[in-house]
Each structure stands twice: as C-alpha cells, then as structure tokens.
Amino acid sequence: MDAYTVWCGPCKLLDKNTFSNKDVAAYINKHYYPVKFNAEGTEAINYRDLTFTNPDHDPNRKGRNSTHQFARAMKITGYPSLIFFDEKGDLIGPIPGYRNPHQIELFL
C-alpha cells in the first residue's frame, strides 16, 4: 500500500519516478495487490472487522490535515510510506520515505 498525502512532494516523485517505471510497475502488478491510500483522506477503511475514518478532517484546510485513523493503526510515521501486508492481510510493516526504482527493488 502506498500511503501518501496530497501536499507531499516526495509522494509525487514516487508516483512520477518509481511507480511509473515500467519494470517496477510490471513487477508490482504481477506480485502484489497495489493500493494507494490518502493518509489524510476521508474514506472509511474496513480492516480486521474495524472501521477506520478521519473524523477530524477539515475540508477547508490547505496543506496538512488530520491523520486518518487507519494511518495511525498502520504505524505510519512519514510520507510517503510503503506498507506491506502478508497473504493473510496481516501487517508486515511500514517503510517510510521516497525510494527510486533501484532502491525499491530491495523491498520488493
């Protein structure tokens, strides 16, 4: 899962430079179920029989907003973060920070 925010410059670079790389994209699409998650967004997330929301989100606020409850539950400490789950949906862990195509290979 790619945890991002709309104001995050490195998040945009991850999309532009890493996830747009044809080899990285092909590998991820073949071996993973890729998901993008706005860590300051408003959608309800159902995980492990719990529903996570962002009740403190301010739609009129520019820049940083409140952190989604699911982001806190996944122990996301910075953006972007790559969050890995195993085949059963159990959290393996987050990896914070931008990675270029070569750097992301280690984690994939």
Side-chain angles (χ1 to χ4, degrees), residues 5 8-9 13 15-16 18 24 32 39 42 46 52-53 63 76 88 90-91 95-97 102 106:
T5 64
C8 170
L13 287 174
D15 280 342
K16 180 181 176 186
T18 305
V24 171
Y32 294 91
T42 59
N46 297 308
F52 299 88
T53 61
I76 296 169
K88 295 178 183 176
D90 294 325
L91 175 67
I95 300 168
H102 179 70
L106 173 67

Side-chain angles (χ1 to χ4, degrees), residues 41-70:
T42 59
E43 65 184 309
I45 305 292
N46 297 308
Y47 177 74
R48 299 286 186 224
D49 296 324
L50 297 172
T51 299
F52 299 88
T53 61
N54 192 351
D56 297 323
H57 181 269
D58 180 355
N60 298 314
R61 188 168 181 174
K62 302 291 183 208
R64 291 181 186 260
N65 213 309
S66 65
T67 303
H68 198 285
Q69 292 170 342
F70 189 65

Side-chain angles (χ1 to χ4, degrees), residues 47-48 73-75 83-86 88-94:
Y47 177 74
R48 299 286 186 224
M74 296 297 105
K75 300 176 175 57
I83 294 71
F84 289 90
F85 300 89
D86 67 16
K88 295 178 183 176
D90 294 325
L91 175 67
I92 295 172

Side-chain angles (χ1 to χ4, degrees), residues 13-14 17-19 21 24 97-105:
L13 287 174
L14 188 65
N17 298 334
T18 305
F19 294 142
N21 177 286
V24 171
Y98 169 80
R99 303 285 188 267
N100 66 35
H102 179 70
Q103 292 167 327
I104 203 169
E105 287 178 15

